[in-house]
Amino acid sequence: MEMINTIGRRKTSVARIYMTPGNGTITVNNKAIEVYFPFDLHQIVVKQPLALVGVEGNYDVKINVDGGGIKGQAEAARMAISRALCEFDAEHRGPLKKEGFLTRDPRMVERKKPGRRKARRRFQFSKR
């Protein structure tokens, strides 16, 4: 039984996954996906690549996520699962790439600059 280990990133979130052929159980940080991601939308995001290639219920996925917020973690997990599916079967690469699941989203929070209130926001200007 082969195990695929991949990594996905989004903003400051990092998701490491271990995917094996199985009956479709998904655990996130040793909790059921329904417990870790109580909001349905995030569960759907994580399962998107499996649904796209039509293999939901065929693989057991163990996800370790760290950093960032809930949405970033879900999208990082989606990227890692997409990469793992490509390793299992190269046929999956085309549809996953077309949907953009294999592309690392480079958008990050811009750092705060000195002399500014935020990254670009200046302090209020006072003429007198």
Side-chain angles (χ1 to χ4, degrees):
M1 186 166 92
E2 77 172 316
M3 177 185 277
I4 299 283
N5 171 285
T6 56
I7 195 164
R9 292 188 180 92
R10 171 74 171 97
K11 291 187 176 182
T12 54
S13 302
V14 180
R16 288 180 297 280
I17 70 149
Y18 302 92
M19 190 185 258
T20 53
N23 57 7
T25 56
I26 300 176
T27 57
V28 186
N29 291 359
N30 298 321
K31 295 178 187 167
I33 188 170
E34 292 79 17
V35 176
Y36 194 84
F37 293 123
F39 193 48
D40 287 342
L41 190 69
H42 298 137
Q43 293 175 33
I44 292 165
V45 165
V46 172
K47 295 173 184 174
Q48 262 180 324
L50 298 165
L52 181 72
V53 296
V55 293
E56 61 252 273
N58 297 5
Y59 296 106
D60 289 341
V61 186
K62 185 176 179 294
I63 308 171
N64 292 324
V65 284
D66 186 48
I70 297 291
K71 184 175 168 109
Q73 288 183 351
E75 292 184 11
R78 176 175 73 183
M79 182 186 190
I81 289 169
S82 300
R83 286 179 168 177
L85 286 170
C86 287
E87 284 188 40
F88 269 116
D89 188 359
E91 299 277 304
H92 297 326
R93 187 168 175 81
L96 289 169
K97 193 164 175 64
K98 188 168 176 280
E99 286 292 318
F101 295 163
L102 298 172
T103 307
R104 162 72 158 104
D105 194 337
R107 294 176 296 174
M108 301 277 273
V109 176
E110 193 172 330
R111 79 174 192 87
K112 187 197 171 299
K113 317 296 188 306
R116 300 275 177 94
R117 204 166 74 186
K118 289 170 34 183
R120 298 184 181 201
R121 175 84 169 96
R122 290 178 162 84
F123 290 106
Q124 186 173 3
F125 176 74
S126 171
K127 195 165 188 175
R128 294 184 176 81

